Amino acid sequence: MPDTVDPVNRARAAKPLPKPGIMDIHAYVPGKAQADGVENPIKLSANENILGASPKAREAFVGAADELQVYPDSRTTILRTAIAERFRLEPERLIFGCGSDEVFALLNQTFLEPGDNIVQGEYGFAAFAIGARACQADVKLAKEPGYRIDVDEMLKVVDERTRLIFLANPGNPTGTWIPFSEVLRLHAALPPSVVLVLDGAYSEFATDPAFQDGLDFARGTDNVVVTHTFSKLHGLAALRVGWGYAPAEIAAAVDRIRLPFNTSIAGQRAAVAALADEDFQARSIAHVEQWRPWLAQQIGGLGLEIVGPSATNFVLIGFPKTGKTAAAADEFLSARGLLTRRVLNYGLPDHLRLTIGLEEHNRAVVEALAAFMKA
């Protein structure tokens, strides 16, 4: 019998379907914040600033309470001015987002068409790939021997459809970094049509003289974007404020698709105050520098692998060849109210990521891991 259903009615009756590839994307998995049977666990799973936020930033946040009915400044003027003055940058070249995650997504939307690709390290931050795949672009993973970015491996996978390279330096979840001489070598070998995105979310914790975040270099290039966030060093993760420094043409293009009110009044004011609080920044960095090597030494002494050395506010712990598993260690620690981060979704099933905590947290983790290894 012939099909007599009207095509318009058929279309109306059909289920709405996402565009191809959307349902193949693995949703982002945040660090856990709860443990069964533990009322107030110690959260060392999300790389938040264990010292909290600047008192000046908290004061600025509270001061915004009387303006909840007001739309924020879409141009982010007060923060744009503060960042431009602090880092000697042209204000019109700044991009602002709901965290640096949104800046990555905006860059993907600006440059990618179906069939294009991005390149990132095999352990690169998940948000890079999520944004690219949402644009129906491909994601090319470059091998990271020794858990660190390798410029030659990245260049191997660049092709004529590569539009963006995402390089987190230092990296998440590895904590490793490469000297800026290697970043320069990568940039020199790229076609000028490829945009190199340098993600500096953890760059303030990288204090080796060979490290640079790339802002100075980006000033004179047409295809380098440097991103930063107020979530890590500044402790404003709840307010979601990120920024990027880009060539003027790229910043102008991104601004055409950026949603108009993507940073809040409270976020903008708190970020300005946090940027000015250099004492809090110095204390946060000093705390990490004090406890990062201690954790590496103590945990390494238990026979576990410490990837690195880390240049971030976390360490990545490996369990290969110990006879123990990262999953079992995570459960053991969680039962004691110590929350770490599984990194199975990054292709690292034998590792746990541990945020550097307060002294009592760090000692408790080492004590618990020692008990786990003996169990």
Side-chain angles (χ1 to χ4, degrees), residues 228-290:
H228 282 276
T229 180
F230 281 87
S231 296
K232 306 304 179 187
L233 173 66
H234 300 288
L236 300 182
L239 296 182
R240 313 305 303 127
V241 182
W243 61 278
Y245 177 61
E249 295 81 1
I250 292 179
V254 168
D255 213 38
R256 281 159 171 75
I257 61 170
R258 177 185 59 83
L259 295 179
F261 306 111
N262 61 337
T263 59
S264 67
I265 290 176
Q268 292 178 29
R269 292 187 184 174
V272 170
L275 193 66
D277 193 344
E278 296 185 15
D279 177 67
F280 178 79
Q281 296 165 38
R283 286 192 291 113
S284 298
I285 293 169
H287 180 81
V288 168
E289 288 188 312
Q290 176 184 358

Side-chain angles (χ1 to χ4, degrees), residues 3 5-17:
D3 186 350
V5 178
D6 181 85
V8 174
N9 289 331
R10 188 200 307 278
R12 287 174 179 164
K15 247 190 204 179
L17 295 173

Side-chain angles (χ1 to χ4, degrees), residues 56-271:
K56 296 178 181 178
R58 292 200 296 270
E59 183 179 351
F61 173 79
V62 172
D66 291 334
E67 298 180 57
L68 298 184
Q69 78 283 7
V70 179
Y71 282 109
D73 171 18
S74 182
R75 290 294 297 161
T76 325
T77 304
I78 59 170
L79 184 54
R80 183 182 300 272
T81 301
I83 289 174
E85 291 178 353
R86 170 72 175 272
F87 298 106
R88 298 180 298 109
L89 305 174
E90 306 91 325
E92 68 275 8
R93 292 178 59 176
L94 296 175
I95 301 166
F96 291 91
C98 180
S100 51
D101 298 5
E102 188 185 21
V103 178
F104 305 145
L106 288 168
L107 290 167
N108 280 323
Q109 292 172 47
T110 300
F111 287 100
L112 296 177
E113 296 180 352
D116 288 337
N117 68 71
I118 70 164
V119 170
Q120 66 177 73
E122 64 178 314
Y123 307 123
F125 182 40
F128 304 153
I130 290 173
R133 291 186 171 118
C135 297
Q136 293 181 288
D138 297 322
V139 177
K140 294 199 162 197
L141 302 179
K143 293 185 181 301
E144 293 188 47
Y147 305 103
R148 72 182 63 245
I149 290 293
D150 184 295
V151 167
D152 295 313
E153 292 293 337
M154 282 200 137
L155 291 172
K156 281 180 186 177
V157 294
V158 172
D159 64 20
E160 68 279 358
R161 295 300 300 269
T162 302
R163 301 300 308 279
L164 294 154
I165 291 185
F166 286 95
L167 170 55
N169 197 31
N172 173 31
T174 62
T176 58
W177 63 284
I178 59 173
F180 202 68
S181 58
E182 284 295 280
V183 177
L184 292 175
R185 187 165 73 86
L186 172 63
H187 180 262
L190 293 176
S193 58
V194 175
V195 179
L196 175 60
V197 183
L198 301 176
D199 171 16
Y202 297 93
S203 60
E204 293 93 345
F205 300 109
T207 54
D208 190 287
F211 179 84
Q212 296 179 42
D213 68 356
L215 281 176
D216 287 337
F217 175 67
R219 281 190 177 92
T221 70
D222 294 323
N223 64 336
V224 175
V225 178
V226 179
T227 67
H228 282 276
T229 180
F230 281 87
S231 296
K232 306 304 179 187
L233 173 66
H234 300 288
L236 300 182
L239 296 182
R240 313 305 303 127
V241 182
W243 61 278
Y245 177 61
E249 295 81 1
I250 292 179
V254 168
D255 213 38
R256 281 159 171 75
I257 61 170
R258 177 185 59 83
L259 295 179
F261 306 111
N262 61 337
T263 59
S264 67
I265 290 176
Q268 292 178 29
R269 292 187 184 174

